[in-house]
Structure formats: C-alpha cells, structure tokens
Amino acid sequence: MASSVEIFPLLRQAHTFALGLLILSTAVAVAAPPRQIEKLDRGVVAIHTDGGNFISWRALADEPATLAFNLYRDGVKLNAQALDATNYLDAKGGADASYTVVPAGGKAGQPVPAWPQPYLRVPLQKPADGVTPDGESYNYIVNDGSAADLDGDGRYELLVKWQPSNAHDNSHKGYTGPTLLDAYRLDGTLLWRIDLGRNIRAGAHYTTYLAYDFDGDGPAEVMMKTADGTRDGTGRIIGEASADYRNKDGYVLDGPEFLSVFDGKTGAALATTSYTPPRGEVAAWGDKYGNRVDRFLGGVAYLDGARPSAVFTRGYYTRAVLSAWDWRGGKLTQRWLFDSDAPGNSAAAGQGAHWMAVADADGDGRDDLIYGAATIGSDGRLLYSTGLCHGDALHVGQHQPGQRGLQVFMVHETPSCYKGHGIEMHDAATGRILWSVDGNGSDVGRGVCMDIDAAHPGNECWASVGGLMASDGTQISTVHPRAVNFGLWWDGDLLRETLDGTRIAKWQPQTQQLKLLLDGADYGAASNNGTKATPVLTADLFGDWREEVVWRSASNDALLIFSTTTPTTHRLPTLMHDTQYRVQVAAQNAGYNQPPHPGFFLGEGMTPPPATAQQR
C-alpha cells in the first residue's frame, strides 16, 4: 500500500491490557500527581456597549486567589486601587479603545482592542460545492467545533467541522460529500484544512475529533479516525489515494480504518495506526446494512491522573468497545482496550449513549468514562452498569453538592429496558439510583441538569417529559423550561442560563417562564444539528469564568462568538483550568453534544472550588 504516512498495524489483542495490572487496595492512600493544564494568557476581552466598554479577563488556577489587577485604557491606568474582580465597566470607553490588564507585580500583555459590536466575527473559508457519484450536488455547512491552543501561545484557536449538506444519519442510505476539518485563529487566519476523504462517511455519528495537548509540550495535537485517501493539512495523503470503498448505498463497510495524530500548528499527520476495534463482521454490531457498526464517540481523559489520554470508541446499541491511547514522545501507543464481548463485561452491552462523559467517577484521582448507563474505569475495567440501556443525553457533575462525589443525570430511550426509570440520577461511583421518574412509556429524547432556581440546593433537572426536579428528586413543579438542549453561565449570578437554538434565556421561578437575554439570530447566527439546536461550541474561551457561545452565521461564512457584558461580583479561576470541564469541552463535537460541567458544584450557595494540584 503506497502511503506518505507509515501505517503501524497493532499487534496487541483485545484483552492483554489486563496482564500485569497492579491492583491497589482502596485502603492505601495514594497522593494524586499534579494534573497537566494549559498555559493560558490573561484572555482579556473588551466589548463596546451603550453604557461604555465591558472588560473581563482570566484568573488562573495556579495563581493566588488574592491576586489583584491594574487596568489600562490606551496606556492610562483606570483604577485607583488594585482590582480584586476580573471584570470592569469603563463607562467612558469608546469603541476604538484598547485595554491592557496587568497583575500586581506581573507583566503587561499586548493591548486588546474593543469589539465594536456584541460579538466577534471570525471569517471562514467555505469549501467549494461538490457532486456525488450519483449526480447529487451538495454544499458545506458549519457543524460542531472545538477550541485548543494549537500553536502554544496561550490563546485558543478554533476548529470547525465542515459537514456536507447531504450528510446522513447512519440509518439512512446515500452518498455523502467528504467531511473537512479546519483550524482558524480568531482573526480568521486559516491554519490548515484536513480532508477526511471519500472513505469516511459524513454524519453526526461518524467523526469525533479530539484537540488537546496530549504530550504536554504546549501546542495541542488533533486526533481522529481516518481512512485511505485522507489528506492532511500539508496535502499529504494517508494510505491509498485512489481507494474507494463506498457501496451502492453510500456506506463504507470495507477497507482499512486508521487512527491518526495531526500536528496542531500545521495539520501534518504525525502518526497513523490501525483503528481499534476493526469493524469485522458488520452484522455482529446489530444490523447488516451498516447502521450500528459505525457509531463512534471519543473523549480526552486523565487516565493516570496526571496526563491526558485519548479514548475512541465503537458501538453502543449492542457491543461497545473503548480504546485508550497515549501520545508521548512522538509515539502513539494503546493503553488499554475495553470490549463488552470480553468475559465479565457483558453488562456494558447496549448501555451506550449518544455522548460519552469523562469525569473522576470514583474519586481516586483518575478519570473514568461514563459510557451512558455503563461506566468504564480509568484502568479499562467495568465499574458498573445500571442496566437501563441507551439514551440520548447525560450530564455528569456535582449535581447534589451536599453529597459526596459526583452524580450522573441521564434520560433513556427504551421503556422495556428502563422499566420506570426513564429519567434518573445515579451515583457516579457505584451506579446506585438516587431518584428516578417514569418516562411514561416514551423515548425520553432530551434532558438537562443545571442550577436555575436559587430556592433549591444543587442543580435542577428536567427532560422532554415530566416536571422540574430538584437535585434530590423532589418535584418542584409540573412545569419545566421549554428549552431542553443546552446551557451556559452568562449573566452576573451563579445560576446557569438555558441555551436553545440561538436563544439564551433565564428561568423565572415565580412566573415559570423563560426571560430572553439574547437571541443570536438578531445578529445573523444559526444553530446546528436540527432539533438538537446546538451551538458550534460553548466554553470559557476568554474573559472571566463565564462562558462564550460560538454560533455559525446563517450564511456559513463566519463564526460569531458572543461573550457576556454583564458585570459580576463573583470571581472564579477560568473554567478551562478545571480538567473535568476542559475535557468535556474537548468532546463537545461528539455525537449529540452536551454542555460541559466542572468537577465541583457551580451554582447558588456554592463553596469555593477545591484547590487541586495542577501543573502547566
């Protein structure tokens, strides 16, 4: 096979990972090593408003919580006393002003110009239209995104998946155009474009890409599934350029499958190996035509408690396989492989969801994989299965702040399997059901969990059926917010706002209605993924701890980044330095993407987040 990137076939078999594992008693106290975090700059953002310029900036997790700041407009200091807050409203600031934030005793960064409007427009280079072998024309639409520091300068770049207009769900036949992945600086500079080629079918379940600094050298790498004909960011072809494995229905059910690591700065393929598990017999995954065999997810996890690994998966309706990978010293190696077909793992079969969450489920300092209703431990062993089967949405965080550890809120699809537990919260460490609501014999399609009502401790949860539930399972009301897709921290308090389509809204408990705070459609924004109505990305990209939302423009020629202009008295380190939040951001482009949750409770009545050992 001619190739400009060497292909390294894996020789390790599915279950040899278990040999030689050292089993540590839970009675032995083991000091957790420091976790690798990104070296970020101050992240200053300034936005012009009718009331002046709103400026905010990052507090970092590895600096003192008492660190104060000085703020300069066009070189002139604005504050008489050092600022304890990480935001400031400059009532006299004009739209052409620039700002610098200087930590007490620290160095000044580059001046940052104010945005003249409520959003930053990042122009995109839209790909050319195409035609499939059966004569169907298609164009390209901006789909799910990610953020990573691709060049190691302390600022985030954005990654965008371009999806052809003829992308298909796995259950639908038909040719698709190729999926493309772009990387952009925030000024619109295109760093590179990767073309996955004809042998990677386009759709919501085919391509998960992970952008993260896996080897700890500063710049991030990008990892994803590739195939013969994939073109990297420098134009080099992986595998055989002329290979075409599409069948008459447009499915790709033959030919080699690869996992590739790409350089974040150039898009060059650094290493390629065989994707595990291979598809094998298509029918072994639940059907013969190619639906269930190609259900893929992925995530970043600190499996050793210190450094990030990549986890790529296959299957969740029946057989479920998760493969963990390390990128260290220029080498891609498999850490372990979990297979529900292996002895002792059958309880994980059929338990997968349309998204995989990463969190330290059992509190041992190492990340685990919440694969829907089953949780796989950091060592690749099954921790538990609730047995409630597949679902479309799940949320992992400290939903019940008065309880030890983390909780998982999940909705389920199949009444014959969930048996009265269509909506439930369970203990992340053990799988014990804490409370549940009957799904009324329906496929409970969506559900969210976040603090929207200060009168009740912890996160409130609701789904497409049922009422509004307190974190302890008490029903607050038979009425819940109509928005059941996404959320983000936006205004000045600690409650989270709903995000549905292009609308950010705040729940009003007294009237049981949503109050609109911002509609991105007023500025030409559009959402993704049909009824899922998700943004390109939400994350704490810059500014203080509140989150930014990235939508595509309705014309698919730009990204529109919105950041809050509401002052707040609350100060928290950037959420991107909480590694649970950060890895959940990294997986936001996978499957039915979900909003990220930190590893601590962030809401009304919260205690300060715990100080964790971290290194940059």
Side-chain angles (χ1 to χ4, degrees):
M1 176 172 62
S3 173
S4 57
V5 178
E6 187 175 0
I7 308 301
F8 301 101
L10 283 175
L11 301 178
R12 192 190 321 200
Q13 298 301 309
H15 314 302
T16 57
F17 73 93
L19 297 179
L21 284 176
L22 178 63
I23 309 302
L24 296 174
S25 167
T26 56
V28 178
V30 180
R35 285 200 172 203
Q36 173 190 316
I37 60 174
E38 292 161 307
K39 186 176 182 179
L40 298 174
D41 69 6
R42 193 54 61 188
V44 179
V45 61
I47 307 170
H48 185 64
T49 73
D50 292 340
N53 290 335
F54 178 79
I55 308 99
S56 70
W57 56 91
R58 291 187 185 110
L60 305 174
D62 56 351
E63 62 189 13
T66 56
L67 182 66
F69 303 92
N70 293 315
L71 176 64
Y72 296 81
R73 182 214 309 137
D74 299 326
V76 178
K77 186 178 177 182
L78 296 181
N79 53 294
Q81 301 293 327
L83 302 171
D84 293 327
T86 51
N87 63 95
Y88 185 94
L89 181 61
D90 178 15
K92 297 181 180 180
D96 59 349
S98 292
Y99 293 88
T100 306
V101 175
V102 182
K107 296 181 180 180
Q110 291 291 330
V112 174
W115 301 354
Q117 67 255 347
Y119 61 91
L120 178 66
R121 186 180 189 273
V122 181
L124 302 177
Q125 296 187 26
K126 187 175 181 180
D129 299 349
V131 180
T132 61
D134 57 358
E136 179 188 10
S137 298
Y138 61 87
N139 54 39
Y140 277 95
I141 302 168
V142 173
N143 196 247
D144 298 329
S146 190
D149 181 5
L150 297 176
D151 54 13
D153 66 354
R155 296 188 293 271
Y156 286 120
E157 284 71 47
L158 294 179
L159 296 93
V160 175
K161 181 171 74 172
W162 288 101
Q163 192 158 278
S165 54
N166 60 356
H168 283 296
D169 185 84
N170 301 53
S171 60
H172 301 155
K173 66 181 181 180
Y175 289 102
T176 74
T179 297
L180 310 176
L181 186 68
D182 283 1
Y184 292 90
R185 291 198 175 99
L186 295 186
D187 63 1
T189 300
L190 176 64
L191 296 178
W192 46 258
R193 171 171 291 166
I194 295 171
D195 183 340
L196 290 179
R198 64 174 68 92
N199 294 309
I200 298 287
R201 199 165 185 249
H205 307 292
Y206 290 101
T207 294
T208 294
Y209 59 94
L210 301 177
Y212 216 86
D213 181 12
F214 288 103
D215 58 6
D217 66 348
E221 295 78 37
V222 180
M223 295 178 66
M224 59 185 155
K225 183 175 178 287
T226 58
D228 279 342
T230 293
R231 186 183 300 273
D232 77 4
T234 67
R236 298 165 66 205
I237 298 296
I238 294 174
E240 295 184 6
S242 61
D244 188 347
Y245 298 105
R246 294 172 294 183
N247 66 21
K248 62 181 179 59
D249 291 325
Y251 288 98
V252 180
L253 303 178
D254 199 2
E257 301 172 285
F258 309 133
L259 179 67
S260 296
V261 182
F262 298 90
D263 182 85
K265 290 179 284 189
T266 66
L270 301 175
T272 293
T273 190
S274 298
Y275 190 89
T276 56
R279 65 175 67 89
E281 291 294 327
V282 171
W285 298 87
D287 59 67
K288 295 181 180 180
Y289 68 97
N291 179 3
R292 290 169 172 80
V293 66
D294 279 353
R295 299 282 179 156
F296 301 104
L297 295 172
V300 178
Y302 290 73
L303 298 174
D304 63 1
R307 303 183 69 185
S309 299
V311 180
F312 287 91
T313 80
R314 185 179 219 130
Y316 42 72
Y317 286 114
T318 52
R319 182 185 177 195
V321 184
L322 294 78
S323 183
W325 299 86
D326 290 339
W327 174 249
R328 308 280 190 265
K331 296 184 181 298
L332 180 62
T333 58
Q334 190 177 48
R335 176 178 282 263
W336 51 251
L337 187 140
F338 173 89
D339 191 338
S340 63
D341 276 358
N345 291 341
S346 61
Q351 305 302 311
H354 280 295
W355 190 67
M356 175 179 69
V358 175
D360 179 8
D362 56 8
D364 67 354
R366 299 183 291 272
D367 284 342
D368 309 296
L369 297 312
I370 297 87
Y371 202 61
T375 293
I376 315 304
S378 57
D379 59 359
R381 298 170 182 250
L382 178 66
L383 288 183
Y384 63 82
S385 171
T386 67
L388 301 179
C389 294
H390 172 76
D392 285 3
L394 76 157
H395 299 259
V396 182
Q398 196 172 55
H399 302 311
Q400 297 182 347
Q403 301 298 317
R404 183 178 180 180
L406 304 176
Q407 297 81 38
V408 180
F409 174 74
M410 186 172 175
V411 298
H412 298 275
E413 183 170 293
T414 309
S416 61
C417 188
Y418 69 65
K419 297 178 180 177
H421 304 290
I423 306 158
E424 52 88 10
M425 183 180 288
H426 62 265
D427 179 75
T430 65
R432 178 174 63 90
I433 303 298
L434 302 175
W435 58 264
S436 67
V437 176
D438 193 338
N440 298 325
S442 66
D443 170 355
V444 185
R446 299 299 284 169
V448 289
C449 200
M450 54 193 180
D451 191 11
I452 61 170
D453 188 342
H456 300 272
N459 288 336
E460 288 72 51
C461 309
W462 67 99
S464 50
V465 300
L468 178 62
M469 311 300 293
S471 65
D472 63 0
T474 303
Q475 180 169 285
I476 298 171
S477 171
T478 58
V479 178
H480 64 69
R482 296 184 305 277
V484 197
N485 282 319
F486 237 72
L488 80 167
W489 284 284
W490 182 259
D491 67 4
D493 62 29
L494 295 172
L495 301 175
R496 210 170 192 184
E497 283 62 61
T498 65
L499 171 58
D500 197 69
T502 58
R503 297 167 63 88
I504 299 172
K506 190 170 190 66
W507 180 244
Q508 309 294 303
Q510 293 77 17
T511 61
Q512 297 185 328
Q513 293 180 334
L514 287 169
K515 177 183 177 182
L516 182 65
L517 301 182
L518 173 72
D519 191 344
D522 293 340
Y523 303 93
S527 61
N528 290 340
N529 301 313
T531 59
K532 301 299 180 289
T534 51
V536 173
L537 180 71
T538 63
D540 181 12
L541 296 175
F542 34 66
D544 60 31
W545 57 273
R546 272 102 41 101
E547 296 172 290
E548 282 65 48
V549 57
V550 184
W551 285 300
R552 65 182 174 93
S553 66
S555 53
N556 290 294
D557 61 352
L559 298 176
L560 307 181
I561 307 175
F562 288 78
S563 187
T564 186
T565 57
T566 303
T568 182
T569 58
H570 301 287
R571 171 174 167 171
L572 294 170
T574 174
L575 298 184
M576 296 294 256
H577 275 173
D578 178 87
T579 55
Q580 176 177 305
Y581 178 92
R582 183 65 186 90
V583 298
Q584 291 191 15
V585 167
Q588 223 181 112
N589 66 82
Y592 293 170
N593 40 348
Q594 309 280 282
H597 295 269
F600 59 92
F601 172 66
L602 201 173
E604 186 66 29
M606 67 175 288
T607 58
T612 55
Q614 296 166 320
Q615 61 180 1
R616 293 200 284 169

